[in-house]
Amino acid sequence: MIRSATPADFDAIAAIAAVYGFDEPDSGVDVAYLHLVMRTGRLAVAEVRTEVGPVVVGFGGTVDSFGAAMVTDLFVLEQFHGRGLGGRLLQHLVGDRSQRMTFSSNHPAALPTYQRLGMQPRWRLRYLRGGIRHLQHRVDVVEVVDVSPEMWAGSRRELAHHWRRRDARLLHIGDALDPTGTAIVTHDDRSWTLQRMETRGDHATAMASVMAALPERDALTTFVPAWSHAATLLDDLDFEELDHDVCCTTADVVIPSTAVVLHPALA
Ligand SMILES: CC(C)(COP(=O)(O)OP(=O)(O)OC[C@H]1O[C@@H](n2cnc3c(N)ncnc32)[C@H](O)[C@@H]1OP(=O)(O)O)[C@@H](O)C(=O)NCCC(=O)NCCS
C-alpha cells in the first residue's frame, strides 16, 4: 500500500535512506529535510503487510520547482524491487501534475522508472569538488553581500529559510539593491557546499564571485549542469567530478538558463 508519510515514519525512512548510503544532511536521515519536503510538497511511503504487521519498505518525496513536481527521493528496499512499488510511489507523488522532473541516480532501475512517467533524460548535473581559488580578474565588478531570508531576491525562499537554520550564508551577487545573482552556501569546518545559485549574469563570473567570498584553499563542493560555464571554470581549476545525476523532465518543463547550481534533491 502507498500512503502519505507522517513523522512516525521518519525512523523507517531514515533506515531505508541509510541502506543506500544517504546519511548526510538533506537526505532521508535528516528530520529537518523530511519536514521541509512534507511541508512544501509530498512525502509518501510504501508499506507491505508482514506477520508482525505493516512494514515500511520504500519512500519518496516531491517538492515544487520550476512549476513542476520535482521528485526529491525514490527508494525501495532491494528485496522488494520489481513488484511495482517504486512505480506506484512515483505515481502517488506526482498525482495529476503533468509537469515533472527529477535528478536521476545511475541505478539501472531509476531511469526506466522515471521514463515510464514521461520524464526524459536532458543533461548531467555534475557533483564537483576542489580547492577554493580567488580569481580577482573575474570578480572586479561584483560585490557579494550576506543577506537574511527576508532580503532574499532569488526564487525558492523556503530553501533560504531551510539552509539558514543550518548556519548558511545567503549571498547577493552584484549591486545589493539590484543583485545579478543569489547563492546559498553551507559549511562544515573548512568544507563549503554551494547548494544553490541563480544569476542573470555570466555563470563563471558568479561562481568566481562566490569563491571570492569564501576562504581561499578551503574545499568547495557544488552541483553544476554540464552545460554551464561554471562547470568549465571549475574544470579549469582541476575540480574533481565526484558523481553525477541525470536531469529528467517532461517536455513542458523549462529550467531557466539562470540556474547555475541546483541541489540534487531539492533543485
Ligand atoms: C528505482 C526504484 C525505486 C524502483 O523501484 P521498484 O519497486 O523496483 O520499481 P517497479 O517495480 O515499480 O519498477 C519500475 C520500472 O523500473 C524498471 N526496472 C525495475 N527493475 C529493474 C532492473 N533491475 N533493471 C532495469 N530496469 C528495472 C522497469 O522498467 C520497471 O518498469 P516495468 O514494471 O514496466 O518493467 C528502486 O530500484 C530503487 O530503490 N533503486 C535504488 C535507489 C535509487 O537509485 N533510487 C532512485 C533515486 S534517483
Side-chain angles (χ1 to χ4, degrees):
M1 145 183 177
I2 309 296
R3 62 169 174 80
S4 296
T6 73
D9 297 311
F10 285 1
D11 284 348
I13 289 173
I16 296 167
V19 164
Y20 284 107
F22 285 80
D23 53 6
E24 301 275 314
D26 296 325
S27 74
V29 299
D30 177 354
V31 168
Y33 168 81
L34 294 175
H35 275 294
L36 173 75
V37 175
M38 227 163 61
R39 197 172 62 246
T40 62
R42 285 183 177 187
L43 188 67
V45 292
E47 202 171 57
V48 295
R49 286 179 199 286
T50 71
E51 296 127 35
V52 292
V55 175
V56 171
V57 299
F59 79 97
T62 48
V63 293
D64 281 354
S65 189
F66 304 118
M70 158 74 195
V71 182
T72 57
D73 302 89
L74 187 69
F75 295 98
V76 172
L77 287 176
E78 196 170 352
Q79 55 272 43
F80 298 93
H81 282 180
R83 297 188 188 183
L85 291 174
R88 281 165 50 212
L89 254 177
L90 193 57
Q91 185 66 64
H92 175 95
L93 290 166
V94 299
D96 53 10
R97 302 278 302 271
S98 64
Q99 289 175 284
R100 303 158 182 182
M101 64 174 285
T102 195
F103 294 116
S104 174
S105 75
N106 299 305
H107 187 277
L111 205 52
T113 307
Y114 295 126
Q115 283 178 305
R116 267 182 79 196
L117 287 195
M119 291 174 250
Q120 298 302 332
R122 307 262 172 233
W123 39 261
R124 293 187 317 127
L125 182 71
R126 302 175 60 200
Y127 296 26
L128 299 174
R129 182 175 176 82
I132 291 168
R133 297 269 297 280
H134 288 178
L135 308 167
Q136 297 307 345
H137 60 288
R138 298 214 64 129
V139 293
D140 50 358
V141 292
V142 181
E143 148 191 34
V144 176
V145 189
D146 207 354
V147 298
S148 67
E150 286 62 42
M151 293 163 64
W152 183 242
S155 60
R156 308 285 303 282
R157 181 171 293 184
E158 73 277 13
L159 296 183
H161 279 284
H162 171 66
W163 278 311
R164 192 61 170 209
R165 265 184 236 119
R166 278 189 20 215
D167 201 21
R169 291 174 72 177
L170 308 180
L171 305 176
H172 274 172
I173 303 162
D175 182 335
L177 295 175
D178 183 22
T180 54
T182 55
I184 307 180
V185 192
T186 57
H187 71 104
D188 184 4
D189 200 14
R190 298 194 60 190
S191 185
W192 299 81
T193 304
L194 175 52
Q195 307 276 12
R196 200 167 194 281
M197 176 155 68
E198 298 164 56
T199 183
R200 54 186 159 87
D202 173 63
H203 285 199
T205 304
M207 183 61 73
S209 307
V210 168
M211 284 199 286
L214 304 176
E216 198 161 18
R217 285 187 284 278
D218 279 12
L220 177 69
T221 303
T222 192
F223 319 102
V224 188
W227 47 262
S228 168
H229 285 155
T232 315
L233 174 72
L234 297 179
D235 283 339
D236 288 347
L237 296 177
D238 288 332
F239 272 52
E240 176 194 359
E241 182 166 317
L242 302 175
D243 196 1
H244 76 266
D245 287 336
V246 178
C247 176
C248 299
T249 75
T250 48
D252 47 1
V253 175
V254 178
I255 298 186
S257 57
T258 48
V260 191
V261 172
L262 290 168
H263 188 270
L266 294 163

